[in-house]
């Protein structure tokens, strides 16, 4: 099922649902931190974990931007 705004906020590191400015800042920071390109030189297991986390961050961001 669809994650709630509260769940999405937690994934992005917020205690409560952030405003658009906070959200954009957090997304940029987290996306660059977990971006697949940063994991090009590590083993596949690490790449998979990073990709999964990146996907969760994107999903959380989408939940919060489409509310």
């Amino acid at each position: 099922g669809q994650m709630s705004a509260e769940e999405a906020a937690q994934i992005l590191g917020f205690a409560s649902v952030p405003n658009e400015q906070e959200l954009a800042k957090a997304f940029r920071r987290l996306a660059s931190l977990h971006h697949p390109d940063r994991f090009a030189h590590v083993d596949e297991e690490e790449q998979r974990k990073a990709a999964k986390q990146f996907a969760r961050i994107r999903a959380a961001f989408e939940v919060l931007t489409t509310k």
Side-chain angles (χ1 to χ4, degrees):
Q2 179 80 3
M3 74 173 79
S4 70
E6 286 73 23
E7 281 176 295
Q10 284 175 348
I11 289 170
L12 296 175
F14 293 100
S16 59
V17 177
N19 67 35
E20 278 178 34
Q21 215 175 359
E22 293 172 323
L23 185 59
K25 216 160 84 175
F27 181 72
R28 278 196 303 273
R29 184 173 54 81
L30 290 166
S32 68
L33 202 63
H34 297 285
H35 198 279
D37 289 350
R38 287 196 54 178
F39 292 86
H41 306 297
V42 297
D43 64 59
E44 276 180 39
E45 179 62 24
E46 287 297 311
Q47 285 179 8
R48 264 199 303 276
K49 270 195 270 186
K52 211 171 180 172
Q53 185 61 17
F54 189 68
R56 282 186 73 205
I57 290 165
R58 290 232 326 255
F61 183 72
E62 280 173 28
V63 167
L64 292 172
T65 51
T66 54
K67 62 173 171 30

